[in-house]
Amino acid sequence: MIKAVLVMNTQGKPRLTKFYEFQPVEQQQEAIRNVFSVLCSRPEHVSNFVDAESVFGPDSRLVYKHFATLYFVFIFDSSENELAMLDLIQVFVETLDKCFRNVCELDIVFNYSKLHTILDEIILGGQVLETSSTEVMKAIEEIARLEAASSAINLVPKSVSGWRSR
C-alpha cells in the first residue's frame, strides 16, 4: 500500500502532500522535514530507493525522482514493488507534462485541484488504480468536459431570471 505521496521543491517547500494513512498534522510536517533532509543529503549518483522506517514506521520504503526543481516522492510498504513505484512516479510526471505542456513548479502551485484530480485517477486510498498516462488523460479530459457542461446549465428558468431584473 502507498502510504504517502509528496511533491516538494529543492528548498523543501511542499507543493503536494497526500497521506493515505492517518497522521496528525504535526507528524505529517515532521515526516516532510525528515524526508527532505534525507533527500538533500543524498549524493546525485546513488539509488533512488531509501528505507523510510525511521520516518514512517517498520516495513516502509521511499522512492523518489528529482525533476528540475521538484522532488516527487512515494512512500510505501513491502506489498508494493520498488521499480513499479518508480515507474508510477514517471506516469504521474508524464501525465502532468501532457496536462500542462511541460509542467513546472508554478503549474503545480496554481493548478492545485487539477493536480489532486490527476493523482486521484492514478492512486486512490493508497491503491494504484491506473498506470497508463493515456488512460489518465482520457479520464481528466472527461472530467473537464463534464465540469464545463455542468457550468453551462442554467438552474434558474429565464422567466424567473427576467422577473428578478425588474
Side-chain angles (χ1 to χ4, degrees):
M1 179 177 149
I2 298 172
K3 296 182 176 190
V5 174
L6 309 172
V7 178
M8 60 181 70
N9 66 12
T10 53
Q11 284 80 40
K13 187 154 183 115
R15 296 304 183 190
L16 167 79
T17 59
K18 187 121 183 190
F19 289 86
Y20 295 103
E21 289 183 339
F22 174 76
Q23 290 186 348
V25 174
E26 297 81 23
Q27 272 187 324
Q28 289 179 7
Q29 291 173 344
E30 182 66 26
I32 292 166
R33 282 191 293 273
N34 289 341
V35 166
F36 180 70
S37 68
V38 167
L39 295 181
C40 67
S41 66
R42 291 179 65 83
E44 288 271 328
H45 306 300
V46 296
S47 169
N48 290 8
F49 307 105
V50 181
D51 281 322
E53 292 182 357
S54 62
V55 180
F56 287 92
D59 195 35
S60 296
R61 299 281 295 159
L62 177 149
V63 64
Y64 70 95
K65 217 160 182 191
H66 185 200
F67 292 99
T69 62
L70 295 170
Y71 287 106
F72 290 82
V73 183
F74 283 23
I75 296 99
F76 54 95
D77 62 21
S78 64
S79 67
E80 301 289 345
N81 183 301
E82 293 175 339
L83 291 176
M85 291 296 103
L86 193 60
D87 188 49
L88 201 59
I89 291 174
Q90 187 66 34
V91 168
F92 184 43
V93 173
E94 282 177 14
T95 306
L96 292 174
D97 273 343
K98 288 178 183 177
C99 204
F100 298 116
R101 303 208 176 35
N102 202 5
V103 67
C104 68
E105 188 173 352
L106 288 176
D107 292 324
I108 290 173
V109 170
F110 292 117
N111 297 291
Y112 196 73
S113 63
K114 195 167 195 176
L115 183 73
H116 272 282
T117 303
I118 292 168
L119 186 60
D120 288 345
E121 287 295 323
I122 298 172
I123 302 168
L124 189 64
Q127 301 297 318
V128 178
L129 295 179
E130 186 58 63
T131 58
S132 167
S133 63
T134 306
E135 291 300 315
V136 173
M137 280 306 297
K138 285 179 188 175
I140 297 300
E141 289 165 359
E142 180 67 16
I143 290 169
R145 188 187 64 75
L146 291 172
E147 285 175 347
S150 69
S151 66
I153 296 173
N154 189 356
L155 298 177
V156 180
K158 290 184 180 181
S159 60
V160 174
S161 63
W163 176 78
R164 293 172 73 194
S165 64
R166 292 184 194 173

